[in-house]
């Protein structure tokens, strides 16, 4: 794989980087694809065996045939295009970073093997590699942690520990980037900018500021060098996955996963796209009379935004799950929850995409009582019929309406190849998972009176629940796309929020919830 990759590279340093990444990609791919999975549901054990991913090592003759194929020539052209897009300085720096990371993690692994403690497991080694390699691989780790339908549970659980808290850029670098993006001195746009960031992560950091016109804003500033490093890393990871696929070492599944990862992360660092999404969501709210005036998003200041700089209205509020603080601005916290849930469900059904990261930090109750959605770096989209089918399932299962459950599954498009008996068994197994999820709410409800209850929303529990749903489906030969996993996870977030803010709310019958009202004539 490294020979084909290196032959497409215009510099020896890029060839070295490709070769090292080939080894990393191979280790990652084989680790993920050969990890044992939990047993499939009893009703579908025979189907699960056929759906597990596999890999094989081709013979030398088969390898030569593949390398001389038309597909190989096309892949070589694709790799050459990617190689010429790279900045040689970035490639050299990333080669050194990779060598350092291998040395550090290798040393830790050797120490673990030589000590009395248990040897480090592959998920632990890969997580440490990601942390040492920086922004791209931290994002890779977060992608694994948030994609329980794509990765084995032990990797999902381990990558929950992947840290995204990194030291902030010095103010001199921030000022340089802001002025470069604005094309003029910072003082010609902002009256003041706080030099100490409000928050800092691997990709960007946020500073409070005030425009010359007097509005309070926040600046989201992309970290220096992140864009080049991310593109180089992601392009090369993708190239290596494609090479491994060509050689028959892994199936197309790994390439598909890496392509999804590449697209998701590149979208997350595209501040122009995030600005467009924020404005489009505002337009969606304006088109919804029920939501207009009670839900908001930050205003985007386009004249003070660019590819690495996003200037947004500063919203003052508290996280949705901070019950005591919410009560200061909304005496009936359940009303804030209902508004947030109606907004999100409506976006799933009627908008071209939905907010796919509604954790507590991205849902605020403002000081004037409105609900705010912020941070549109991660979104998802599924067909409207699939979303409606999921809502039908949510309504039918608790009522014991198995015929309704079957119709809902059919509407979701997941039972076309299942018999009526298999559909019923699928519904029953999914029901057992839902029952186990419901049992999680008891512990959460007891913390609702504790004020700031952020710790009650356990990310690991949510991902385990999503993974459990995916394993049930996989047992029936059904593989959920990542978008569906994102949808399920947001539903579970709102389930937790209901337990915290409105434990007595009848989600299935309360007519204040838009999903419980009859569709207007002519809809659907």
């Amino acid at each position: 794989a490294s020979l084909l990759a290196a032959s497409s590279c215009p510099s020896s340093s890029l060839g070295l980087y490709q070769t090292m990444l080939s080894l990393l990609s191979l280790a990652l791919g084989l680790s993920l694809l050969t990890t044992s999975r939990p047993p499939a549901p009893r009703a579908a054990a025979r189907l699960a065996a056929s759906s597990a991913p596999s890999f094989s090592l081709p013979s030398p003759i088969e390898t030569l045939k593949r390398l001389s194929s038309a597909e190989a020539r096309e892949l070589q052209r694709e790799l050459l295009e990617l190689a010429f897009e790279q900045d040689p300085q970035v490639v050299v720096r990333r080669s050194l970073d990779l060598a350092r990371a291998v040395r550090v993690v290798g040393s830790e692994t050797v120490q673990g093997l030589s000590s009395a403690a248990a040897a480090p497991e592959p998920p632990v080694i890969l997580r440490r590699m990601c942390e040492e390699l920086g922004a791209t691989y931290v994002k890779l780790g977060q992608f694994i942690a948030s994609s329980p339908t794509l990765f084995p549970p032990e990797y999902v659980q381990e990558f929950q520990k992947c840290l995204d808290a990194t030291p902030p850029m010095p103010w001199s670098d921030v000022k340089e980037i802001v002025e470069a993006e604005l094309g003029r001195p910072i003082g010609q746009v902002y009256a003041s900018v706080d030099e100490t960031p409000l928050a800092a992560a691997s990709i960007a950091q946020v500073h409070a500021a005030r425009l010359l016109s007097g509005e309070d804003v926040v600046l989201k500033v992309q970290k220096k060098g992140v864009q080049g490093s991310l593109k180089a890393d992601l392009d090369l990871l993708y190239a290596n996955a494609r090479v491994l696929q060509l050689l028959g070492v892994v199936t197309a599944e790994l390439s598909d996963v890496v392509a999804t990862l590449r697209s998701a992360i590149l979208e997350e660092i595209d501040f122009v796209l995030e600005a467009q999404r924020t404005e489009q969501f505002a337009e969606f709210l304006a088109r919804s009379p029920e939501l207009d005036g009670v839900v908001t998003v930050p205003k985007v200041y386009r004249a003070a935004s660019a590819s690495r700089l996003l200037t947004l209205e500063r919203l003052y509020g508290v996280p949705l799950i901070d019950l005591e603080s919410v009560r200061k601005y909304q005496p009936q916290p359940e009303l804030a929850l209902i508004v947030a849930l109606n907004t999100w469900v409506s976006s799933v059904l009627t908008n071209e995409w939905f907010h796919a990261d509604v954790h507590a930090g991205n849902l605020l109750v403002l000081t004037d009582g409105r609900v705010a959605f912020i941070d549109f770096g991660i979104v998802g989209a599924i067909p409207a019929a699939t979303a409606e089918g999921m809502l039908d399932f949510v309504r039918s299962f608790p009522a014991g309406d198995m015929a309704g459950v079957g119709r809902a599954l059919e509407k979701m498009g997941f039972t076309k190849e299942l018999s009526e008996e298999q559909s019923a068994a699928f519904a029953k197994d999914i029901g057992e998972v839902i029952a186990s999820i419901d049992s999680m709410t008891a512990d959460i409800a007891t913390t609702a009176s504790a004020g700031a209850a952020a710790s009650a929303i356990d990310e690991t529990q949510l991902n385990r629940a999503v993974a459990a749903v995916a394993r049930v489906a996989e047992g029936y030969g059904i593989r959920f796309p990542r978008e569906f996993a994102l949808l399920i996870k947001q539903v579970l977030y709102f389930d937790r929020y209901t337990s915290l803010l409105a434990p007595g709310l009848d989600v299935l019958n309360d007519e204040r919830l838009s999903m419980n009202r009859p569709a207007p004539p002519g809809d659907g």
Side-chain angles (χ1 to χ4, degrees):
S2 60
L3 289 175
L4 177 62
S7 70
S8 301
C9 300
S11 70
S12 58
S13 63
L14 186 53
L16 171 63
Y17 187 37
Q18 277 276 37
T19 301
M20 298 179 76
L21 271 174
S22 295
L23 298 176
L24 182 61
S25 298
L26 179 62
L28 176 62
L30 296 186
S31 296
L32 294 176
L33 292 177
T34 59
T35 301
S36 59
R37 293 178 178 271
R42 57 187 180 282
R46 65 183 183 279
L47 292 175
S50 64
S51 65
S54 61
F55 76 97
S56 60
L57 295 175
S59 67
I61 294 177
E62 177 64 22
T63 298
L64 288 175
K65 287 182 179 179
R66 289 173 181 268
L67 288 175
S68 60
S69 67
E71 182 183 357
R73 290 192 293 274
E74 179 61 31
L75 177 58
Q76 190 172 42
R77 283 194 293 271
E78 184 180 356
L79 294 182
L80 188 60
E81 290 175 4
L82 289 177
F84 276 116
E85 290 176 2
Q86 311 309 320
D87 181 340
Q89 291 183 341
V90 171
V91 170
V92 171
R93 186 178 74 247
R94 295 304 286 153
S95 297
L96 295 174
D97 290 343
L98 182 57
R100 180 190 55 77
V102 170
R103 185 183 71 251
V104 171
V105 177
S107 176
E108 292 175 357
T109 303
V110 170
Q111 290 176 2
L113 291 172
S114 61
S115 67
E121 295 292 328
V124 176
I125 295 172
L126 283 173
R127 174 182 61 81
R128 285 290 299 119
M129 280 291 291
C130 286
E131 290 178 338
E132 288 294 325
L133 283 167
T136 303
Y137 295 90
V138 168
K139 284 297 175 186
L140 168 63
Q142 292 174 337
F143 177 86
I144 294 172
S146 66
S147 304
T149 62
L150 296 181
F151 298 94
E154 53 267 47
Y155 284 84
V156 172
Q157 183 172 349
E158 181 62 33
F159 278 89
Q160 295 292 329
K161 305 172 186 174
C162 210
L163 302 176
D164 194 24
T166 58
M169 283 188 295
W171 170 247
S172 57
D173 286 345
V174 174
K175 186 171 183 286
E176 178 186 335
I177 291 171
V178 171
E179 292 188 336
E181 292 298 293
L182 293 173
R184 47 186 161 163
I186 197 169
Q188 290 185 11
V189 178
Y190 305 102
S192 63
V193 180
D194 289 353
E195 296 186 9
T196 302
L198 296 171
S202 58
I203 298 294
Q205 59 192 57
V206 177
H207 292 257
R210 177 167 291 170
L211 295 172
L212 287 175
S213 51
E215 295 97 332
D216 287 347
V217 295
V218 292
L219 310 186
K220 186 174 181 180
V221 184
Q222 197 170 106
K223 288 196 167 179
K224 194 172 185 177
V226 158
Q227 205 167 71
S229 295
L230 276 170
K231 190 170 188 328
D233 290 347
L234 292 168
D235 285 350
L236 293 174
L237 275 176
Y238 172 72
N240 279 283
R242 291 281 287 113
V243 169
L244 294 173
Q245 178 189 343
L246 171 72
L247 294 177
V249 177
V250 298
T251 65
E253 184 178 6
L254 179 62
S255 292
D256 291 343
V257 169
V258 173
T260 302
L261 160 73
R262 180 171 173 260
S263 174
I265 293 180
L266 289 178
E267 283 190 3
E268 198 170 344
I269 64 166
D270 187 343
F271 286 3
V272 174
L273 179 60
E274 184 175 345
Q276 291 172 348
R277 286 172 173 169
T278 304
E279 291 177 332
Q280 196 277 330
F281 204 79
E283 292 171 4
F284 155 72
L285 295 176
R287 294 194 307 266
S288 309
E290 183 183 50
L291 305 176
D292 190 25
V294 294
V295 189
T296 192
V297 295
K299 176 183 176 181
V300 178
Y301 291 89
R302 285 283 189 166
S305 298
S307 62
R308 294 186 296 164
L309 171 66
L310 189 57
T311 300
L312 300 167
E313 171 189 8
R314 186 174 186 182
L315 299 176
Y316 293 92
V318 296
L320 186 66
I321 59 170
D322 187 346
L323 184 58
E324 291 307 311
S325 296
V326 167
R327 282 181 174 144
K328 295 177 184 176
Y329 309 117
Q330 175 51 269
Q332 295 178 279
E334 72 174 35
L335 294 181
L337 171 68
I338 288 170
V339 166
L341 186 53
N342 280 343
T343 303
W344 186 79
V345 169
S346 181
S347 72
V348 172
L349 294 174
T350 66
N351 199 33
E352 58 192 84
W353 46 264
F354 60 88
H355 196 304
D357 194 22
V358 292
H359 66 70
N362 289 339
L363 275 180
L364 304 177
V365 176
L366 304 184
T367 54
D368 61 7
R370 291 180 299 164
V371 171
F373 285 72
I374 64 173
D375 192 350
F376 292 88
I378 303 175
V379 303
I382 60 174
T386 301
E388 290 169 0
M390 186 172 183
L391 291 179
D392 289 346
F393 182 93
V394 169
R395 297 186 191 104
S396 300
F397 185 82
D401 179 7
M402 288 300 107
V405 167
R407 288 193 297 272
L409 293 173
E410 185 176 353
K411 184 182 289 188
M412 291 159 73
F414 298 139
T415 60
K416 292 179 180 177
E417 298 181 4
L418 299 185
S419 66
E420 186 175 338
E421 181 181 347
Q422 287 175 319
S423 294
F426 182 32
K428 183 176 183 297
D429 287 340
I430 288 286
E432 291 175 358
V433 173
I434 292 174
S436 69
I437 292 171
D438 287 342
S439 69
M440 292 162 51
T441 62
D443 291 338
I444 294 174
T446 61
T447 68
S449 62
S455 60
I457 308 298
D458 190 323
E459 194 77 14
T460 301
Q461 280 186 326
L462 289 181
N463 279 309
R464 285 176 180 168
V466 176
V469 172
R471 287 197 299 273
V472 169
E474 204 170 292
Y476 290 85
I478 299 165
R479 191 169 184 83
F480 289 146
R482 181 174 184 257
E483 286 76 11
F484 194 75
L486 289 172
L487 183 76
I488 295 173
K489 189 170 180 180
Q490 310 320 303
V491 170
L492 294 178
Y493 271 128
F494 277 110
D495 187 48
R496 304 286 77 79
Y497 300 152
T498 301
S499 300
L500 288 166
L501 300 175
L505 182 66
D506 185 351
V507 175
L508 299 177
N509 295 300
D510 195 310
E511 292 189 355
R512 291 175 297 176
L513 293 171
S514 57
M515 67 181 187
N516 294 328
R517 301 175 201 150
D523 284 9

